[in-house]
Amino acid sequence: MVRWQGIDFTVDGREPVTAEEYYRIGLQCWNGAQYRAAAVFFLEPAADAGHSGAVELLGHVDFVEGRYASAVQRLRASPDSPRAAYYLAVLHHRGCPQAGIAQSLDEAARWYGVAAGLGEPEAMLTLGELYLERLLPLTRAPAEQAMEYFLAAAAREHPYAQYRAAELYRTLYQDPGRAAALYRSCVDNPLTGRHALGSMMTLQSQAHLREIEAARTADLQQQRRDAVNPMRHRDDFY
């Protein structure tokens, strides 16, 4: 067994030996609330032994806890991690003197692109916003390039991406059908409630869904009027 602050940790009742076993304990500690503070204690020996998962997770822990200098080293050592690439993009986007990183939107965009290519929806959403704001070089209309990234993130169940894509379809493209589908996805998405803007997105999406349905009903009624009372006959009643 391995003891941390008077608490014994084991793997299947025995002392952890391999880097993978230390990593598993560290991962369980980080994912749980009770022993989260013990995560680094177990992850560091696994990382020192070359365990890539432990290195990547330590980079995440360092980033979340604000130890950016050590985070950067570990994030850069995790080239296949979408989360690591996204964090590096964020540090370049904001600038991080603590880690020796100057603010650079170009470098941030490069890392966002890496993260997006690895499937990170948060990076896709950010790229979409940057294109929409014309902060990156455009090869198409800003909304067209932004929508590509919003839809990619929406397909990965990112609630705010679903909402942003719905807004563009409703306001810019005048496509209530596609907008409604994405508003419904946002409302039904279990991740929406955990998002910082979850309440706003839910209320606004529900309101727009009601508006779209009301407009659809009005259109159907008008089509019915036109069908049963053709324009050429209407003057007969006046």
Side-chain angles (χ1 to χ4, degrees), residues 17 52 85 96 99 104 125 138-139 153 155 162 169 198 206 215 222 224:
V17 176
S52 59
C96 184
S104 170
L125 176 63
L138 295 164
T139 57
Q162 292 169 338
Y169 273 131
Q206 290 172 335
Q222 187 59 51
R224 169 68 180 176

Side-chain angles (χ1 to χ4, degrees), residues 122-142:
E122 200 71 48
M124 298 171 190
L125 176 63
T126 304
L127 282 171
E129 297 289 3
L130 291 173
Y131 279 117
L132 197 60
E133 294 172 14
R134 299 172 183 264
L135 293 172
L136 296 179
L138 295 164
T139 57
R140 288 169 285 158

Side-chain angles (χ1 to χ4, degrees), residues 29-206:
C29 289
W30 180 253
N31 288 337
Q34 188 174 7
Y35 300 117
R36 174 165 281 199
V40 172
F41 177 82
F42 290 99
L43 291 171
E44 283 184 337
D48 291 343
H51 193 289
S52 59
V55 173
E56 195 273 348
L57 182 53
L58 277 172
H60 168 68
V61 172
D62 284 343
F63 182 89
V64 169
E65 296 186 344
R67 295 187 295 271
Y68 299 120
S70 56
V72 166
Q73 296 178 7
R74 287 162 171 160
L75 296 173
R76 285 176 174 161
S78 305
D80 298 324
S81 166
R83 178 167 63 180
Y86 174 72
Y87 288 159
L88 288 169
V90 170
L91 291 173
H92 284 285
H93 199 163
R94 299 173 182 169
C96 184
Q98 178 185 338
I101 293 178
Q103 187 177 32
S104 170
L105 190 52
D106 289 336
E107 190 66 7
R110 184 178 76 81
W111 280 109
Y112 283 132
V114 172
L118 291 170
E120 173 53 59
E122 200 71 48
M124 298 171 190
L125 176 63
T126 304
L127 282 171
E129 297 289 3
L130 291 173
Y131 279 117
L132 197 60
E133 294 172 14
R134 299 172 183 264
L135 293 172
L136 296 179
L138 295 164
T139 57
R140 288 169 285 158
E144 186 179 346
Q145 279 193 259
M147 185 65 92
E148 177 184 336
Y149 286 102
F150 289 161
L151 290 175
R156 288 165 175 78
E157 301 300 319
H158 193 294
Y160 191 61
Q162 292 169 338
Y163 177 79
R164 292 292 284 126
E167 288 284 276
L168 281 183
Y169 273 131
R170 180 179 64 87
T171 60
L172 185 63
Y173 290 102
Q174 300 289 300
D175 189 334
R178 286 194 174 99
L182 284 158
Y183 281 132
R184 288 192 191 96
S185 294
C186 181
V187 170
D188 295 339
N189 190 338
L191 298 176
T192 299
R194 301 202 293 270
H195 194 277
L197 300 175
S199 295
M200 180 278 292
M201 289 190 290
T202 298
L203 291 172
Q204 290 293 320
S205 295
Q206 290 172 335

